[in-house]
Amino acid sequence: MTNINFTYLPGDGIGTEVGEAAIKVLNTTAIKFGHTLDIEEHLIGGAAIDAGLRPLPEESLASAKKTGAILLGAVGGPKWDHLKGSDRPELGALLPLRKELNLYANIRPAAPHPALIDKAPLKREYLEGVDFVVMRELTGGIYFGKKGRDNLGAYDECRYSEEEVRRIAIKAFDLARLRRKKVTSVDKSNVLETSRLWRAVVEDVAKDYKDIALDHLLVDAMTMHMLTHGKDFDVILTENMFGDILTDEASVLCGSMGVIPSASLSDGTMGMYEPIHGSAPDIAGQGKANPLAMILSAAWMLRLSFKMEIEAAVIESAVDAALYGEHTTGDIGGSLSTSEVGDWIAAYVGDHVS
Ligand code: IPM
Ligand code: MG
């Protein structure tokens, strides 16, 4: 028996709805496997601002640091769009959380589920066989460089140290070793100095991974290759902003943003898990949000932070069954509400584990 102690940050918009569904599934899973759940729920983003706090309240950060495992819904929305800089939910909560916890390795998968292939906007031939992950550097580059305004205009500095590139490259090569043994590093080395350093360090790390095939692509070319021959890729390694852009593009290959989980990892078992979708204010509060990405993120948390491979796999097979049986929300062809999907998956986990 293990005590699953984690920090739960539902956040804003549909974050709270998909979060409830995921907690329900975690509850059933814990009961079935004889674990206890010890959930530390805290405010973040707009919800924290509305409660008169900073976007990332001290106690939310302290809990995250203590438990080392965070399940996050989503932050932000039009209600807080008028705020500036670090008063905003994204800049004031998400970025400092990533930085403070040193969550430098962000993993986002792209593997269209067979039940969703016909729901994606691309032809079947571009989707079948696609199965890659993007390893995005998350705590460096232009996101965290010096920014400001002066009499000439505005600037955002992009900086990478050799060490920052090396540690994310190692994560990518290690992951490729567990998969199809291929790393594609994406940069803009024909223009940017940070990209030239990136490429040199990645080449150097590759010397310790002779069993892994490495190639390099420029980011502009990658935006095309990802859609036209996505099946060529295994692990795509890239810097912070290119990764931000490419992972949104990759989600188009998966039929719906509502089914893709993500992990932001540090060294050891420290990790934050969240769906790749945002707070979707347009459908918030209506029970329409697809909770599968959040439920899968919870499964990843069990696997990566608590080393519960079987528990994670059981949740994933329940999600699989929901997709094949169309026990899903309207965005992917089902007719259930957010909480009904959560109930269905929790019941499936309850029924299928002895
Ligand atoms: C993401 C988001 C964030 C990012 C925003 C909300 C700051 O787009 O996680 O991809 O740019 O990293
Ligand atoms: Mg993004």
Side-chain angles (χ1 to χ4, degrees):
M1 185 181 117
T2 305
N3 186 30
I4 305 171
N5 176 216
F6 69 96
T7 302
Y8 171 47
L9 305 173
D12 306 320
I14 62 168
T16 51
E17 296 165 65
V18 297
E20 264 170 43
I23 297 293
K24 220 159 21 186
V25 173
L26 282 173
N27 256 315
T28 316
T29 310
I31 292 168
K32 273 285 161 181
F33 284 87
H35 304 307
T36 51
L37 269 194
D38 182 359
I39 306 174
E40 301 191 15
E41 180 173 346
H42 288 283
L43 295 171
I44 192 167
I49 296 170
D50 287 354
L53 302 166
R54 297 288 305 153
L56 178 60
E58 245 339 289
E59 54 187 42
S60 307
L61 179 61
S63 167
K65 280 184 174 162
K66 189 191 81 182
T67 64
I70 303 110
L71 185 63
L72 180 98
V75 299
K79 187 172 176 196
W80 307 283
D81 264 352
H82 63 282
L83 298 168
K84 292 204 173 65
S86 62
D87 288 338
R88 295 178 61 88
E90 300 88 345
L91 274 177
L94 215 45
L95 266 52
L97 197 54
R98 290 171 178 172
K99 194 73 172 176
E100 287 275 342
L101 300 178
N102 199 25
L103 303 170
Y104 64 86
N106 178 236
I107 302 178
R108 298 181 182 185
H113 193 278
L116 295 180
I117 283 201
D118 292 324
K119 307 211 157 67
L122 292 167
K123 288 190 196 139
R124 179 173 269 275
E125 64 203 83
Y126 296 114
L127 304 176
E128 275 173 336
V130 171
D131 179 7
F132 64 78
V133 292
V134 179
M135 179 68 77
R136 167 188 174 193
E137 201 291 326
L138 201 62
T139 52
I142 198 167
Y143 273 54
F144 291 94
K146 194 167 171 229
K147 14 184 135 287
R149 300 259 176 153
D150 58 20
N151 52 4
L152 298 174
Y155 56 90
D156 296 277
E157 186 182 59
C158 183
R159 241 179 204 286
Y160 267 109
S161 72
E162 200 178 310
E163 188 40 41
E164 282 174 317
V165 182
R166 187 171 297 279
R167 64 183 185 173
I168 189 74
I170 289 172
K171 288 263 192 204
F173 281 97
D174 282 344
L175 183 59
R177 216 166 236 175
L178 302 172
R179 295 175 47 95
R180 301 196 311 279
K181 300 190 164 45
K182 185 175 174 195
V183 170
T184 303
S185 176
V186 177
D187 61 38
K188 186 71 186 171
S189 60
N190 53 346
V191 177
L192 302 177
E193 199 53 41
T194 42
S195 281
R196 277 192 280 274
L197 175 78
W198 182 276
R199 200 174 270 223
V201 174
V202 171
E203 288 281 351
D204 193 47
V205 170
K207 290 181 189 149
D208 292 333
Y209 294 85
K210 298 272 192 244
D211 53 324
I212 309 290
L214 168 68
D215 58 5
H216 302 274
L217 266 179
L218 296 175
V219 63
D220 48 349
M222 185 58 169
T223 59
M224 295 190 300
H225 289 298
M226 189 180 268
L227 298 184
T228 54
H229 39 282
K231 40 175 140 355
D232 288 358
F233 302 110
D234 181 18
V235 175
I236 295 171
L237 163 65
T238 195
E239 62 97 73
N240 204 345
M241 189 157 79
F242 298 159
D244 178 44
I245 297 164
L246 290 176
T247 52
D248 264 23
E249 190 187 2
S251 74
V252 177
L253 294 164
C254 298
S256 165
M257 271 198 136
V259 298
I260 314 174
S262 78
S264 301
L265 306 173
S266 185
D267 298 317
T269 56
M270 165 78 81
M272 179 159 90
Y273 307 87
E274 55 178 313
I276 71 151
H277 62 70
S279 61
D282 51 324
I283 58 161
Q286 301 170 35
K288 287 184 183 168
N290 186 342
L292 295 184
M294 185 67 162
I295 292 169
L296 290 170
S297 300
W300 278 27
M301 177 177 80
L302 295 185
R303 172 177 293 123
L304 299 171
S305 280
F306 296 97
K307 304 290 168 213
M308 294 180 173
E309 176 57 40
I310 297 174
E311 291 83 337
V314 164
I315 295 175
E316 285 165 349
S317 61
V319 169
D320 236 29
L323 283 167
Y324 280 120
E326 286 210 342
H327 304 286
T328 53
T329 43
D331 56 313
I332 50 174
S335 57
L336 299 187
S337 69
T338 310
S339 72
E340 286 167 344
V341 173
D343 290 340
W344 194 91
I345 291 176
Y348 187 98
V349 168
D351 289 348
H352 287 77
V353 186
S354 51

